[in-house]
Amino acid sequence: MEAEQRQQRRIAFYHLIITLLTLWSAVNVVLLSFHIGDWHVETRISNGLLVVFAVDYFVRLGRSRDRKTFLIHSAFDLMGIIPMHPVFALFRLGRLARMVQYHHLFWKLGLDGKWSHDFHRFIYSTGFIYLFSISIAIIVLSALLFSVFEHQSLSDSLWWAITTATTVGYGDDTPHTAVGKVIAVGLMFGGIGFIGLLTSTITDFFTNQASPNMPAEASHDEDELRQLLVKIDTLTTKVDHLQNQVKRLEKSGYRKKH
């Protein structure tokens, strides 16, 4: 029992360190993006944090008993150590969501409810996390190959891959070599296909979320209509009964007169 408590304290301390480093990464990305502070210092910090999170990821992968499940649930962690652009560090924020779930913080704070279950169902049950991971992997791999064969920077190559996969296509970066054009064709078919599946998954989820309410509302209206018809039938019966009584009274009065 005491050993288990020590283990839980070590895990809590480890998660606290990871949380602080994750938040530091996010703040550093903002500083780099808006050119606030010393760019050279922030770049060194970004690279240092990248090394720390990369080592942490591969250590956890090596110690994991079920590596397939680990790769699926830690897809955002893998994206957070892609050394292409500092903005990929923002994917590390997904780690915080899993740690919140691990420690049941929403439940302890009384904030757990339908929305948290729907969020978990949206991420995993719909396959969103898988499609999103594959889409990111295709974009990043295409950007890396494009950077090598077209002699472009990683940032420009990533920009080209995103604009191509999302069918925006500004045309500011285009492939000029034969290999670059082959990479572009592969990205067009693979990236656009998976991004289309991704958007349709999001649409289907929210459509299915709204559709269960429609039968409920329809059944509620049917119940109200049924109750109204019952009341009308009851009222009609009472009116008929009153009419019969009036007729009896009229007949008895007529007989008395004669």
Side-chain angles (χ1 to χ4, degrees):
M1 186 68 180
E2 186 177 349
E4 184 178 350
Q5 290 178 350
R6 285 199 302 268
Q7 178 69 13
Q8 289 297 325
R9 284 196 293 268
R10 283 196 294 268
I11 292 174
F13 179 74
Y14 164 72
H15 285 171
L16 177 62
I17 296 299
I18 293 297
T19 299
L20 294 175
L21 292 177
T22 301
L23 295 176
W24 192 6
S25 298
V27 171
N28 197 61
V29 168
V30 174
L31 296 177
L32 283 171
S33 301
F34 292 96
H35 306 288
I36 302 172
D38 192 336
W39 182 83
H40 296 285
V41 174
E42 291 161 0
T43 302
R44 293 192 189 98
I45 292 173
S46 178
N47 293 334
L49 291 172
L50 176 64
V51 172
V52 170
F53 278 99
V55 171
D56 173 73
Y57 176 84
F58 288 109
V59 168
R60 289 187 294 121
L61 176 61
R63 297 179 61 182
S64 176
R65 296 179 179 177
D66 188 351
R67 290 187 174 86
K68 181 180 178 180
T69 303
F70 176 85
L71 290 172
I72 292 173
H73 287 273
S74 303
F76 281 8
D77 297 351
L78 180 59
M79 296 174 200
I81 59 175
I82 295 176
M84 289 192 64
H85 195 278
V87 75
F88 278 91
L90 294 178
F91 283 113
R92 298 169 192 167
L93 294 173
R95 184 86 175 273
L96 299 183
R98 292 205 314 279
M99 287 191 290
V100 166
Q101 182 183 7
Y102 177 85
H103 292 285
H104 306 289
L105 293 182
F106 285 129
W107 178 78
K108 292 177 181 178
L109 295 174
L111 300 176
D112 189 27
K114 184 178 181 298
W115 70 269
S116 59
H117 297 292
D118 289 341
F119 177 77
H120 187 273
R121 187 162 59 88
F122 169 69
I123 293 295
Y124 296 106
S125 299
T126 61
F128 174 85
I129 185 64
Y130 315 117
L131 291 173
F132 184 79
S133 302
I134 294 172
S135 301
I136 293 294
I138 292 174
I139 290 173
V140 170
L141 180 61
S142 300
L144 284 172
L145 295 175
F146 186 85
S147 175
V148 172
F149 290 101
E150 294 292 330
H151 305 290
Q152 297 278 355
S153 66
L154 289 175
S155 299
D156 292 339
S157 299
L158 183 62
W159 170 254
W160 166 82
I162 293 173
T163 56
T164 302
T166 55
T167 68
V168 176
Y170 287 112
D172 49 353
D173 289 315
T174 56
H176 300 286
T177 65
V179 178
K181 292 177 181 178
V182 171
I183 295 169
V185 171
L187 178 60
M188 290 173 190
F189 283 103
I192 294 172
F194 276 101
I195 288 178
L197 289 174
L198 190 65
T199 54
S200 64
T201 298
I202 297 173
T203 304
D204 290 342
F205 175 78
F206 286 105
T207 302
N208 293 332
Q209 282 288 99
S211 59
N213 296 328
M214 296 174 62
E217 292 176 358
S219 62
H220 179 68
D221 293 339
E222 290 179 359
D223 290 339
E224 289 186 346
L225 180 60
R226 193 177 298 108
Q227 292 176 3
L228 181 61
L229 291 174
V230 170
K231 291 180 180 179
I232 292 174
D233 290 338
T234 303
L235 183 60
T236 302
T237 303
K238 290 182 179 180
V239 170
D240 292 338
H241 181 67
L242 288 174
Q243 286 179 347
N244 292 331
Q245 286 184 341
V246 169
K247 288 180 180 179
R248 290 195 190 97
L249 290 174
E250 289 178 351
K251 287 181 180 180
S252 61
Y254 177 79
R255 289 172 182 172
K256 287 180 180 178
K257 288 179 180 180
H258 293 79

